[in-house]
Amino acid sequence: MATCISHSPAETEALGETWGRAAQSGLVIGLCGDLGAGKTQLVKGLARGLGITARVHSPTFALVNIYAGGRLTLFHLDLYRLETREQIRAAGLEEYLEPTGVTVVEWAERWFSEMRSEKGQAIGKTSEPRTLLRWVRFETLSEIERRITYEDISA
Ligand SMILES: Nc1ncnc2c1ncn2[C@@H]1O[C@H](COP(=O)(O)OP(=O)(O)O)[C@@H](O)[C@H]1O
Ligand SMILES: [Mg+2]
C-alpha cells in the first residue's frame, strides 16, 4: 500500500503517466472516490503515459471509451450511472477484467467485491500471473489537495 498527496491536477496526471509508461497488458486499475476527486484527471495521465494522444473524457453516454493508437489499448470504464450490483452485472463488463491492454474503472467501488474476486479467479487460471489489479482510493483534502492511496493485488 502506498500513499501520495497530490497538490495539483498536474501532479495527479503525472502519477497516472508514470503508471501508463510502466503498464503491462492485463493491468486493471480500479479508481474509487467522490465526484471531482480526480479520477478522470489520473486517467488523462495514464493515457499520455501509454502514448495515446486522443483527448480523454469520462464516458458519460457510453459505459466504456476505448483508446487505441498507444503502446497498449486503454479501456476506460465509468460506473457512475450504474447504481446497483445487478445493473453492473447486467452490463456484462467482465471481459474488461482480462484486457488485452489496460483497463481503468471509475467508481470501481460499485463493482468492488465482484471485481476483486473475479479478477483473483482470472489470475488463478493464468499459469503466469502477469495480470494485476491496482486498487486506488482518492480523498479530497482541500480544493487542490488529494490523498491517493493505492495497492497492487496480484492474486
Ligand atoms: N490535486 C488534484 N488532483 C486532481 N484534480 C484536482 C486536484 N486539485 C484540483 N483538481 C480539480 O478537481 C477536478 C477533478 O475532476 P475529475 O478528474 O473529473 O474528477 P472525477 O473523475 O473523480 O469525478 C478537476 O476540475 C481538477 O482540476
Ligand atoms: Mg470522472
Side-chain angles (χ1 to χ4, degrees):
M1 180 111 80
T3 300
C4 80
I5 305 289
S6 164
H7 302 88
S8 68
E11 250 184 71
T12 299
E13 224 180 294
L15 178 66
E17 187 174 352
T18 309
W19 292 356
R21 275 199 239 103
Q24 291 182 25
S25 184
L27 176 66
V28 176
I29 303 175
L31 307 179
C32 312
D34 292 336
L35 206 59
K39 300 181 293 297
T40 303
Q41 203 70 42
L42 186 121
V43 178
K44 287 179 182 174
L46 189 64
R48 197 166 65 204
L50 287 166
I52 293 160
T53 52
R55 211 174 128 259
V56 168
H57 52 85
S58 255
T60 314
F61 299 106
L63 287 174
V64 188
N65 278 348
I66 301 175
Y67 303 99
R71 183 173 63 80
L72 297 168
T73 301
L74 180 63
F75 303 93
H76 181 193
L77 281 66
D78 192 326
L79 306 182
Y80 183 63
R81 289 178 312 125
L82 299 183
E83 278 165 21
T84 65
R85 286 275 153 76
E86 289 66 37
Q87 283 176 318
I88 291 173
R89 194 182 289 279
L93 301 169
E94 288 75 20
E95 61 177 301
Y96 296 106
L97 292 177
E98 289 179 86
T100 304
V102 174
T103 290
V104 64
V105 186
E106 297 193 38
W107 297 96
E109 62 269 52
R110 299 193 172 179
W111 202 5
F112 181 77
S113 52
E114 268 135 301
M115 189 174 179
R116 283 176 86 133
S117 65
E118 281 171 28
K119 184 70 181 158
Q121 282 165 17
I123 290 164
K125 276 186 255 156
T126 316
S127 53
E128 205 179 313
R130 63 188 175 81
T131 49
L132 190 74
L133 173 61
R134 180 164 303 154
W135 201 256
V136 188
R137 168 156 293 282
F138 289 76
E139 289 163 274
T140 302
L141 302 179
S142 74
E143 202 167 318
I144 57 157
E145 282 180 315
R146 305 289 188 267
R147 182 188 292 126
I148 304 172
T149 311
Y150 53 95
E151 112 184 80
D152 285 350
I153 299 156
S154 59

